[in-house]
Amino acid sequence: MEEKYGGDVRAGPGGGGGLGPVDVPSARLTKYIVLLCFTKFLKAVGLFESYDLLKAVHIVQFIFILKLGTAFFMVLFQKPFSSGKTITKHQWIKIFKHAVAGCIISLLWFFGLTLCGPLRTLLLFEHSDIVVISLLSVLFTSSGGGPAKTRGAAFFIIAVICLLLFDNDDLMAKMAEHPEGHHDSALTHMLYTVIAFLGVADHKGGVLLLVLALCCKVGFHTASRKLSIDIGGGKRLQALSHLVSVLLLCPWVIVLSVTTESKVESWFSLIMPFATVIFSVMILDFYVDSICSVKMEVSKCARYGSFPIFISALLFGNFWTHPITDQLRAMNKAAHQESTEHVLSGGVVVSAIFFILSANILSSPSKKGQKGTLIGYSPEGTPLYNFMGDAFQHSSQSIPRFIKESLKQILEESDSRQIFYFLCLNLLFTFVELFYGVLTNSLGLISDGFHMLFDCSALVMGLFAALMSRWKATRIFSYGYGRIEILSGFINGLFLIVIAFFVFMESVARLIDPPELDTHMLTPVSVGGLIVNLIGICAFSHAHSHAHGASQGSCHSSDHSHSHHMHGHSDHGHGHSHGPVGGGMNANMRGVFLHVLADTLGSIGVIVSTILIEQFGWFIADPLCSLFIAILISLSVVPLIKDACQVLLLRLPPEYEKELHIALEKIQKIEGLISYRDPHFWRHSASIVAGTIHIQVTSDVLEQRIVQQVTGILKDAGVNNLTIQVEKEAYFQHMSGLSTGFHDVLAMTKQMESMKYCKDGTYIM
Amino acid sequence: MGTIHLFRKPQRSFFGKLLREFRLVAADRRSWKILLFGVINLVCTGFLLMWCSSTNSIALTAYTYLTIFDLFSLMTCLISYWVTMRKPSPVYSFGFERLEVLAVFASTVLAQLGALFILKESAERFLEQPEIHTGRLLVGTFVALSFNLFTMLSIRNKPFAYVSEAASTSWLQEHVADLSRSLCGIIPGLSSIFLPRMNPFVLIDLAGAFALCITYMLIEINNYFAVDTASAIAIALMTFGTMYPMSVYSGKVLLQTTPPHVIGQLDKLIREVSTLDGVLEVRNEHFWTLGFGSLSGPGSGCSTLFFCGFPCPLLFASGNMASGVAVSDGVIKVFNDMKAGSVHVRIRRDANEQMVLAHVTNRLYTLVSTLTVQIFKDDWIRPALLSVPVAANVLNFSDHHIIPMPLLKGTDDLNPVTSTPAKPSSPPPEFSFNTPGKNVNPVILLNTQTRPYGFGLNHGHTPYSSMLNQGLGVPGIGATQGLRTGFTNIPSRYGTNRIGQPRP
């Protein structure tokens, strides 16, 4: 879709001119495209065929025969031993590795085929390397290449999810009676066990397996590129590799055919289907792909290749067991089997559409460097862009190093250290809870775990703010990053208000319609929580004795009345951290603290309501308790939000109000001072109180003396970032001489049209 | 209950104040419309919440949160009316423009927190998918959609209009722009409809309604209840995407950061300032945005969003306006926001402070409306011959005529006048080519330091008076023009003078 508009000039080698719509291929390309489409069609046929074959033949035997046929054919045609330079021992080892990897990938591939049928296998596995590579680059690097690629990646993921979730494959029903352990070989049995352990259905396991195999395939192709050059061409490598893998699989097959009895009645009847599969899936596809990649662009090749294969997969998926296609089917054995396996479903169709779209988008040539940043305008008036962005982005450090550095930074200071430890405990607890919930299949525990994660996000934000607040001042953050803590405190306050709102809504709903609660499970957990909480409160009550009476606690979620163990640790962690902060000046820590306190009192609320319900059967106690807690949360948050708002609105700091007033009076008494104007004082962050003031003095005083005096007075009053503008009468004379001022600017903006014409170089500085 | 006692008194007065301010705002005719919409919004939200619980659909809940966000945006609009009526008070010395910014920030953050809550709920729902009743789903969708669109289009919400234009585009907008560009490639006639930047709120309303329609369809056809959760996640993600750039923009204003779009102009001005005669160094520059779009200047109460379709790049190159520039889809928009700033200028010992102050103010005033310039000298005590004890190193410093650069750094830290800690000398991450406090020109330093006292004073007067004549000599329109050329020529003139100066 993109390049229609872009009209890009790269119409491919031999594309016959770059003008005009590129989608219409020139006559020379047409035959290759037709060939490609036909090959892909045959490949689809071959895969459907091999699915039928795999019902009868063991997978290792199948792969062995496939490799044998291919090796035979390719050795015959490529003559890898008689032509080309000799292969060294070192290269043989590499070929051996190549063969092993190839075997494993084809094993995964065909095992996936047996699990989820040919249609889904085709949809998942038949993506060209370029599609997967651009998908991975979108997912894992920041410079994915524009919104189109992101969309393509999203489509791909949606398609996979559609296959996983919305595909009502009939095999899933059959899965239920699938007896474990009667598989043909140890290998398949192992794979089955792995899939069963993951807790997904066979079909879904197949989907995941195929995605894994796809990634492996792409990595394998990329890795073997260098080897193929060393050996002397991809075809020679393929021939040798197939040969080696035949030798590799040979003993296994022999052992297998000796130990297990074959399900095949006559191997002779299978010759024809095997020939079809070998020819269409292995040989023809390989040769046509290599020809097309030479003649056409890779991206175009990928697009023309993916479309027919998906379409034909859909068609065969619908019609394979239909009598019409009997001609195509070389193996008629399964003709009378009912067609309930791996049929077409709505989910598959949707995911096929998404796969086609994503293959189309992801394989389109990426337009790197098109997104420059505007840096200015040339003298001619054309905008200038900077395309260097990509080059700088790649100089990032490695991830483990980054993690190590940031961990070191976190542990350096007490605030962030405390939050970090507490966050770790919280996360640990959450995952234990989730794991236990999954293990015992308790939905309540799992949902409580999610709730904890939701709460953790506030802690993560607090941690980030604590970390960032120590960053050095930059050009953009000219005062330093300290103010981030205040903003984070504000956001945390909003967060608590949102929580209070939801708890309030929930409890109102429960007041109207009180649900039956199952309290017996809740008792041991909440009593444990209470004990830990009491320990925590004892731990921090001595460390923290300043004016936090205002922050009465609160609680979220007595609706999720499950364990709240870690709140105990929370206060414990907090008790130390809050001691040195003092005065509640650090809004970030205050926000985190309120959050923790909310959780703590929440668990107490749970216990109280549990006792009331157990002892008296007052089921109304639970919503009432929640209501009370919601009100407490909002009341306790109000001071935090109010303070943060005042700082953000650049209010005169209330705690310095009196001193500043006195200081200003003192300033007025300075000798030689006429008056002052525009006194602005505000708190920038916990440590910086900034101020600016304009002072008019008589013309016979030394300005620097005045500056020193005023600085001294204001510093005593607590302002530590000062700018003092000392003005004499001369200043106003100069200013009126320069006739600057707001009115002047206004006049200038009105005159802009006329200014445009003064091209005497005044605007190019 | 210490809390409640503590709070009773301020709360009562708070409500009284609120009522008074409300009356003030309600006196305005425009706010009646907003109040009306607010009441309708409340009714609408109530109904929608009811339908949410009756259908049990979380996607509809996510969509309802957008309606609640609308309520916040209406409140923000009211606040912006109130702000225009208020004058700065002694306590809030910068005025109340920032309240508008804070309101925008709070409402976008609240919307994102709501989306976070939706994400959490949907994670829980994936485990146990409840049944969705489609009865009111479509009705609710269309009621919410029509109400949202009606509110968006009929009320001119100044702060949000400003932020949505000034902030960077959301991913939703980018994708729509990308799609529509490729669509316009097929049908060129559509370019006038699709190519301009889409309003993010309209976009998210439409996209959310679309997701809900799909949900309805799939549930009706096939009982895929999981679609409801999926589309709730989609709506929540879209809400994140839409609100995030706006909250980043307003958050950066709240953090008192230098807006990136003026850094270029600012640099140019500071370079100009540092080449003024007598100026040794400019440091501790703090420039930040005070509030959203208002034509800056003392006493200007008119808060107008100033954007014009200006195809003229000369304007921006000339750096003569306190403005941000956004190039979106070929239309250049100029955002005029209010800046404040303070700067410390170190000057030569013999330079005329008041004149340098006037020149510096004159330069920066074009960009920064609330400006404070502190002029300081290193060893001002010595020529005055006062009997104040002077630190030994200061004396040493002034005795040397040729000053090596490292020594200058050393004196920076010792200076009693400046209080801000010295900035790091390594280039900051955001911006590479000019760090604060580094606008030092070593050549100037050497030359100016070696000049005899008193010479600079005379020297400084000459260009000033000549320029004054030039500026005042031409009346009318010509006055500004002459002034302009005068301004921009000054640095080069100073420079040539200085370079041409023979060393003693």
Side-chain angles (χ1 to χ4, degrees):
Chain A
M1 315 154 97
E2 278 301 298
E3 53 277 35
K4 278 174 196 157
Y5 182 69
D8 60 351
V9 285
R10 289 182 294 157
L19 297 175
V22 195
D23 270 2
V24 185
S26 63
R28 284 177 60 195
L29 281 183
T30 315
K31 61 182 178 197
Y32 293 112
I33 290 169
V34 168
L35 187 65
L36 191 68
C37 292
F38 183 66
T39 317
K40 293 294 175 187
F41 177 76
L42 277 188
K43 190 176 185 182
V45 173
L47 270 174
F48 272 84
E49 198 77 53
S50 42
Y51 179 66
D52 285 350
L53 273 173
L54 275 168
K55 280 179 197 157
V57 184
H58 189 271
I59 183 167
V60 181
Q61 283 170 338
F62 178 80
I63 291 171
F64 174 72
I65 294 170
L66 225 58
K67 294 269 179 192
L68 184 68
T70 318
F72 177 72
F73 187 83
M74 287 189 86
V75 167
L76 218 61
F77 274 79
Q78 293 297 324
K79 299 183 182 64
F81 296 107
S82 52
S83 67
K85 56 189 181 211
T86 53
I87 295 160
T88 61
K89 193 185 165 198
H90 191 65
Q91 278 170 338
W92 274 114
I93 293 170
K94 276 189 175 172
I95 291 171
F96 180 74
K97 283 180 191 163
H98 184 267
V100 170
C103 277
I104 289 171
I105 285 169
S106 39
L107 202 67
L108 285 178
W109 178 22
F110 286 108
F111 189 66
L113 180 68
T114 59
L115 282 182
C116 58
L119 168 59
R120 286 143 185 101
T121 308
L122 280 169
L123 286 180
L124 279 167
F125 197 69
E126 296 305 317
H127 292 282
S128 65
D129 298 356
I130 182 173
V131 170
V132 181
I133 286 172
S134 60
L135 171 76
L136 293 179
S137 74
V138 166
L139 289 183
F140 296 111
T141 62
S142 52
S143 57
K149 295 277 175 190
T150 318
R151 207 163 50 234
F155 282 168
F156 195 94
I157 291 166
I158 288 173
V160 174
I161 287 174
C162 266
L163 274 189
L164 277 177
L165 294 182
F166 298 110
D167 183 14
N168 297 334
D169 198 323
D170 282 347
L171 247 197
M172 278 157 70
K174 273 172 67 181
M175 244 305 288
E177 72 254 17
H178 192 89
E180 203 65 46
H182 99 295
H183 303 295
D184 295 336
S185 77
L187 180 82
T188 45
H189 180 72
M190 196 182 71
L191 282 171
Y192 269 117
T193 325
V194 168
I195 289 169
F197 177 74
L198 285 176
V200 287
D202 261 8
H203 147 77
K204 293 181 183 180
V207 170
L208 293 179
L209 197 71
L210 280 175
V211 171
L212 181 75
L214 179 65
C215 295
C216 289
K217 182 183 83 166
V218 173
F220 173 62
H221 282 181
T222 320
S224 63
R225 199 167 292 156
K226 188 174 172 293
L227 182 63
S228 72
I229 292 166
D230 285 348
I231 300 292
K235 287 166 192 165
R236 196 178 180 208
L237 173 68
Q238 281 293 324
L240 289 172
S241 164
H242 281 308
L243 201 62
V244 171
S245 48
V246 166
L247 296 178
L248 207 69
L249 287 174
C250 195
W252 194 353
V253 170
I254 289 168
V255 169
L256 213 64
S257 47
V258 169
T259 52
T260 60
E261 77 274 23
S262 175
K263 281 190 284 181
V264 187
E265 292 95 35
S266 68
W267 283 97
F268 184 71
S269 66
L270 293 182
I271 287 178
M272 192 51 200
F274 264 118
T276 325
V277 171
I278 289 166
F279 178 70
S280 60
V281 176
M282 305 297 279
I283 296 166
L284 189 67
D285 184 51
F286 175 71
Y287 276 104
V288 171
D289 261 355
S290 57
I291 290 170
C292 287
S293 59
V294 170
K295 296 291 179 187
M296 290 195 293
E297 258 182 276
V298 182
S299 62
K300 197 171 285 177
C301 202
R303 272 195 307 149
Y304 290 126
S306 63
F307 189 68
I309 202 165
F310 292 152
I311 291 291
S312 48
L314 275 182
L315 285 178
F316 285 133
N318 207 12
F319 294 120
W320 188 248
T321 50
H322 201 266
I324 303 170
T325 49
D326 275 351
Q327 311 304 321
L328 275 169
R329 307 173 64 182
M331 193 177 134
N332 289 319
K333 203 193 72 141
H336 32 264
Q337 202 165 9
E338 75 282 9
S339 60
T340 52
E341 270 188 338
H342 307 304
V343 285
L344 215 58
S345 74
V348 172
V349 174
V350 170
S351 80
I353 292 167
F354 275 114
F355 270 127
I356 290 171
L357 281 176
S358 75
N360 206 354
I361 294 170
L362 286 175
S363 62
S364 66
S366 69
K367 298 192 281 183
K368 271 242 172 88
Q370 288 230 338
K371 209 178 171 190
T373 47
L374 182 79
I375 48 171
Y377 292 90
S378 71
E380 289 78 35
T382 50
L384 300 173
Y385 291 96
N386 178 20
F387 296 104
M388 294 291 283
D390 278 354
F392 289 123
Q393 275 175 7
H394 292 305
S395 60
S396 60
Q397 50 192 345
S398 64
I399 292 170
R401 191 186 153 89
F402 173 73
I403 290 173
K404 208 176 137 195
E405 293 273 307
S406 42
L407 262 184
K408 201 176 143 221
Q409 270 191 334
I410 286 168
L411 296 181
E412 251 170 22
E413 203 170 294
S414 70
D415 278 6
S416 53
R417 195 169 56 225
Q418 298 300 339
I419 299 178
F420 180 69
Y421 286 152
F422 176 53
L423 184 69
C424 283
L425 266 176
N426 214 338
L427 282 177
L428 188 76
F429 182 78
T430 306
F431 283 113
V432 166
E433 200 175 34
L434 279 177
F435 186 73
Y436 194 70
V438 169
L439 219 64
T440 59
N441 214 4
S442 146
L443 205 72
L445 270 184
I446 296 174
S447 73
D448 196 49
F450 277 119
H451 207 90
M452 288 297 141
L453 276 184
F454 181 60
D455 280 351
C456 279
S457 57
L459 288 179
V460 169
M461 195 185 60
L463 180 66
F464 268 108
L467 199 62
M468 279 176 82
S469 64
R470 298 204 306 273
W471 288 0
K472 295 277 186 293
T474 64
R475 184 68 203 252
I476 295 204
F477 287 77
S478 58
Y479 287 102
Y481 284 79
R483 208 174 164 84
I484 281 187
E485 286 193 330
I486 287 154
L487 204 66
S488 148
F490 182 67
I491 296 174
N492 251 333
L494 290 182
F495 202 131
L496 279 170
I497 284 208
V498 167
I499 287 176
F501 173 75
F502 285 127
V503 171
F504 185 80
M505 295 296 283
E506 182 83 7
S507 58
V508 165
R510 283 187 182 207
L511 268 183
I512 297 166
D513 178 25
E516 287 291 309
L517 281 178
D518 181 22
T519 50
H520 79 274
M521 177 199 165
L522 197 137
T523 318
V525 181
S526 51
V527 166
L530 176 66
I531 292 166
V532 181
N533 275 330
L534 281 179
I535 293 168
I537 286 169
C538 287
F540 87 86
S541 58
H542 61 86
H544 147 59
S545 56
H546 60 81
H548 255 297
S551 50
Q552 296 292 328
S554 35
C555 156
H556 67 285
S557 80
S558 72
D559 40 333
H560 292 293
S561 2
H562 298 284
S563 41
H564 286 262
H565 282 309
M566 30 41 101
H567 309 317
H569 301 291
S570 73
D571 333 45
H572 185 69
H574 200 91
H576 297 297
S577 71
H578 217 265
V581 170
M585 213 47 254
N586 189 335
N588 182 34
M589 289 311 280
R590 255 174 89 182
V592 170
F593 173 74
L594 280 184
H595 227 93
V596 171
L597 208 66
D599 282 357
T600 312
L601 284 161
S603 63
I604 292 175
V606 170
I607 289 161
V608 168
S609 61
T610 311
I611 291 169
L612 286 180
I613 288 171
E614 287 212 328
Q615 293 296 315
F616 307 101
W618 294 345
F619 282 97
I620 200 89
D622 180 52
L624 274 182
C625 209
S626 311
L627 204 67
F628 182 65
I629 278 160
I631 292 167
L632 273 188
I633 293 180
S634 20
L635 281 182
S636 67
V637 159
V638 164
L640 172 67
I641 288 192
K642 198 174 139 226
D643 288 354
C645 270
Q646 283 180 352
V647 175
L648 290 175
L649 291 177
L650 304 177
R651 188 195 193 273
L652 189 74
E655 60 274 15
Y656 291 115
E657 218 167 315
K658 209 168 155 192
E659 288 136 41
L660 282 171
H661 203 71
I662 296 166
L664 285 179
E665 274 176 5
K666 261 193 224 165
I667 286 170
Q668 256 179 337
K669 284 175 194 144
I670 291 176
E671 197 183 334
L673 192 132
I674 300 170
S675 72
Y676 64 89
R677 66 183 173 102
D678 294 345
H680 297 297
F681 300 101
W682 71 97
R683 174 177 289 285
H684 178 263
S685 61
S687 57
I688 297 176
V689 178
T692 63
I693 189 168
H694 293 216
I695 285 172
Q696 281 97 45
V697 293
T698 51
S699 44
D700 55 341
V701 223
L702 261 181
E703 289 98 333
Q704 295 300 318
R705 173 151 298 279
I706 296 288
V707 166
Q708 204 186 37
Q709 283 170 335
V710 173
T711 307
I713 291 169
L714 285 177
K715 274 209 170 150
D716 285 345
V719 184
N720 52 16
N721 190 326
L722 258 180
T723 308
I724 303 157
Q725 176 165 337
V726 184
E727 298 156 348
K728 290 182 182 172
E729 211 187 333
Y731 166 73
F732 294 103
Q733 284 169 5
H734 288 307
M735 282 307 274
S736 64
L738 291 165
S739 76
T740 309
F742 154 74
H743 298 287
D744 191 56
V745 180
L746 201 65
M748 274 182 206
T749 51
K750 277 178 188 161
Q751 302 296 329
M752 276 181 303
E753 281 303 315
S754 60
M755 262 163 47
K756 202 161 62 167
Y757 300 109
C758 60
K759 290 205 171 188
D760 50 5
T762 49
Y763 55 84
I764 310 167
M765 287 301 297
Chain B
M1 283 299 119
T3 340
I4 293 164
H5 276 298
L6 251 166
F7 265 86
R8 193 165 290 155
K9 204 180 154 199
Q11 255 173 1
R12 196 177 292 152
S13 69
F14 174 72
F15 281 121
K17 251 194 275 180
L18 201 71
L19 207 66
R20 207 183 62 216
E21 302 299 343
F22 181 74
R23 283 207 196 96
L24 187 74
V25 175
D28 195 345
R29 288 296 300 175
R30 292 173 301 176
S31 46
W32 280 102
K33 195 168 141 195
I34 293 172
L35 288 175
L36 180 70
F37 267 99
V39 170
I40 297 172
N41 191 314
L42 280 177
V43 173
C44 198
T45 310
F47 270 108
L48 279 172
L49 283 175
M50 242 158 63
W51 290 338
C52 284
S53 64
S54 77
T55 59
N56 205 12
S57 156
I58 194 166
L60 189 62
T61 316
Y63 201 61
T64 308
Y65 289 167
L66 287 179
T67 317
I68 297 177
F69 170 76
D70 260 1
L71 187 66
F72 292 139
S73 77
L74 289 175
M75 276 185 209
T76 310
C77 201
L78 268 189
I79 285 174
S80 82
Y81 286 148
W82 178 74
V83 161
T84 55
M85 291 173 206
R86 282 298 295 258
K87 292 273 170 289
S89 71
V91 177
Y92 291 93
S93 58
F94 284 106
F96 289 87
E97 268 83 7
R98 283 177 93 75
L99 193 59
E100 214 174 70
V101 187
L102 193 70
V104 168
F105 181 75
S107 40
T108 50
V109 164
L110 280 175
Q112 287 178 72
L113 289 174
L116 193 67
F117 188 78
I118 291 287
L119 283 184
K120 178 210 126 202
E121 286 281 297
S122 9
E124 283 172 16
R125 281 201 178 204
F126 259 122
L127 299 171
E128 190 188 37
Q129 180 62 48
E131 200 171 319
I132 312 294
H133 311 285
T134 48
R136 300 275 179 197
L137 194 61
L138 218 54
V139 183
T141 308
F142 281 107
V143 166
L145 174 69
S146 52
F147 177 72
N148 280 355
L149 286 184
F150 192 50
T151 314
M152 284 296 156
L153 299 177
S154 61
I155 285 191
R156 197 179 155 280
N157 197 336
K158 194 205 94 188
F160 272 99
Y162 180 88
V163 177
S164 63
E165 290 286 344
S168 58
T169 48
S170 65
W171 62 264
L172 195 62
Q173 277 175 303
E174 263 173 38
H175 281 272
V176 169
D178 195 64
L179 275 180
S180 56
R181 213 180 307 140
S182 49
L183 189 67
C184 292
I186 303 167
I187 314 164
L190 291 177
S191 58
S192 58
I193 309 170
F194 284 117
L195 276 191
R197 187 176 182 168
M198 293 280 278
N199 183 339
F201 302 112
V202 172
L203 211 57
I204 192 179
D205 286 340
L206 288 177
F210 179 66
L212 274 170
C213 285
I214 287 180
T215 309
Y216 177 78
M217 224 166 63
L218 285 178
I219 290 177
E220 280 288 288
I221 293 170
N222 247 344
N223 279 350
Y224 281 141
F225 292 125
V227 177
D228 181 64
T229 315
S231 70
I233 289 175
I235 293 175
L237 289 181
M238 285 191 291
T239 312
F240 263 117
T242 307
M243 301 301 169
Y244 179 73
M246 288 184 227
S247 47
V248 164
Y249 183 85
S250 47
K252 279 200 169 169
V253 172
L254 289 178
L255 286 178
Q256 289 191 305
T257 55
T258 313
H261 59 257
V262 292
I263 274 204
Q265 290 169 315
L266 212 55
D267 262 348
K268 203 172 72 65
L269 288 178
I270 284 175
R271 225 171 296 137
E272 263 182 55
V273 164
S274 61
T275 50
L276 283 176
D277 187 42
V279 174
L280 297 182
E281 184 191 11
V282 179
R283 65 182 188 191
N284 295 343
E285 317 102 279
H286 301 296
F287 296 104
W288 37 277
T289 316
L290 210 53
F292 290 149
S294 52
L295 211 59
S296 53
S300 95
C302 61
S303 320
T304 49
L305 179 60
F306 185 80
F307 55 163
C308 47
F310 225 102
C312 161
L314 309 187
L315 166 67
F316 312 117
S318 66
N320 222 356
M321 269 181 48
S323 62
V325 185
V327 184
S328 63
D329 311 312
V331 182
I332 297 172
K333 285 167 181 163
V334 182
F335 300 102
N336 204 345
D337 40 18
M338 204 166 159
K339 310 247 175 4
S342 64
V343 69
H344 287 198
V345 176
R346 193 161 70 94
I347 60 167
R348 221 170 48 225
R349 210 161 37 158
D350 53 348
N352 184 344
E353 282 184 32
Q354 293 304 314
M355 206 189 61
V356 171
L357 179 67
H359 275 291
V360 170
T361 311
N362 179 28
R363 291 287 191 291
L364 292 176
Y365 211 67
T366 52
L367 196 63
V368 184
S369 56
T370 311
L371 178 71
T372 311
V373 181
Q374 175 165 337
I375 304 281
F376 65 97
K377 294 174 178 176
D378 272 333
D379 45 353
W380 53 276
I381 300 170
R382 201 179 140 239
L385 294 172
L386 288 167
S387 58
V388 181
V390 179
N393 49 3
V394 175
L395 274 173
N396 281 344
F397 166 69
S398 57
D399 282 342
H400 287 293
H401 279 294
I402 294 166
I403 299 159
M405 283 308 286
L407 223 161
L408 176 74
K409 278 271 158 255
T411 51
D412 275 358
D413 298 331
L414 293 172
N415 198 309
V417 181
T418 51
S419 49
T420 320
K423 302 282 163 52
S425 51
S426 59
E430 282 101 342
F431 199 72
S432 52
F433 55 83
N434 234 333
T435 50
K438 289 204 76 188
N439 292 309
V440 192
N441 197 340
V443 183
I444 306 167
L445 183 75
L446 282 175
N447 277 333
T448 46
Q449 281 294 326
T450 50
R451 223 176 292 159
Y453 299 141
F455 184 77
L457 204 67
N458 298 333
H459 166 68
H461 267 295
T462 343
Y464 164 56
S465 54
S466 74
M467 197 201 55
L468 186 64
N469 290 338
Q470 195 181 358
L472 294 180
V474 193
I477 295 171
T480 40
Q481 194 148 355
L483 211 58
R484 261 197 54 71
T485 50
F487 288 169
T488 42
N489 278 339
I490 284 169
S492 60
R493 186 186 306 166
Y494 275 39
T496 49
N497 275 351
R498 203 176 295 120
I499 290 161
Q501 192 90 36
R503 286 193 188 192

